[in-house]
Amino acid sequence: MVRTLVGEGGAAAHSDDAVLSVAVALDGQGPSIARARHAAAGFLARVRSEHGVAVSRRAVEVTQLVVSELVTNAQKYAAGPIVMDLRIVGDLVEVQVWDSDPVLPVARAADVGRVGQHGLEIVMALCQGFEVTREPVGKRITARLALTDDPQGGPGGW
């Protein structure tokens, strides 16, 4: 059985026996980054309050940072729409961002003298899992982030 959790502003959320998720369609224009951050924070707040999933304050902040970096890159390098999917998988939140640009990103070597272009470095340093897959159109970037700071699954200060 699948049921809708949210249906606001281009977002469609579903849950089944194993997964809580939300998909957010973004137009790739001006406020897309802020909308994505807001949608991510709202999703994590809902899974915590409505489904009892342990989510730390740090997890919300890190998820918003990762969402910002991935959506910023998609908006910067790909023309057209962006789709962000968030999914709870065990004790992780999985952030997926799809865009229409087929060019796969490459993490650059750390360089303290470089101004900008550190987004992928930041994302990879914060996540427990990271992958990039080419799609029939464009690419999908997936980052997996811990939901709590406590390995026992406690709320971690929220």
Side-chain angles (χ1 to χ4, degrees):
M1 176 176 125
V2 175
R3 64 185 168 97
T4 299
L5 298 174
V6 186
E8 59 187 65
H14 305 281
S15 79
D16 61 24
D17 293 335
V19 178
L20 299 171
S21 65
V22 65
V24 181
L26 304 162
D27 62 9
Q29 305 288 317
S32 291
I33 299 160
R35 282 191 59 226
R37 285 176 58 89
H38 180 74
F43 171 69
L44 292 174
R46 281 188 300 280
V47 298
R48 182 180 180 276
S49 67
E50 296 174 14
H51 299 278
V53 175
V55 179
S56 72
R57 178 174 289 129
R58 180 181 183 282
V60 174
E61 292 168 357
V62 168
T63 300
Q64 286 184 296
L65 176 57
V66 167
V67 162
S68 287
E69 293 297 337
L70 295 180
V71 173
T72 295
N73 286 347
Q75 187 168 315
K76 183 175 180 179
Y77 297 109
I82 300 164
V83 178
M84 178 181 73
D85 292 301
L86 300 167
R87 174 186 330 248
I88 303 299
V89 181
D91 59 354
L92 302 173
V93 59
E94 187 175 86
V95 177
Q96 291 187 345
V97 174
W98 171 89
D99 67 56
S100 61
D101 184 5
V103 177
L104 303 181
V106 177
R108 299 176 72 182
D111 178 358
V112 296
R114 184 175 70 237
V115 176
Q117 298 185 346
H118 293 280
L120 197 53
E121 289 173 60
I122 293 168
V123 170
M124 293 175 75
L126 293 171
C127 65
Q128 279 61 48
F130 180 84
E131 64 187 67
V132 180
T133 53
R134 187 165 281 135
E135 298 284 320
V137 174
K139 67 181 166 297
R140 182 172 312 275
I141 299 175
T142 304
R144 292 175 190 87
L145 306 159
L147 286 169
T148 64
D149 304 330
D150 176 1
Q152 303 303 320
W158 188 12

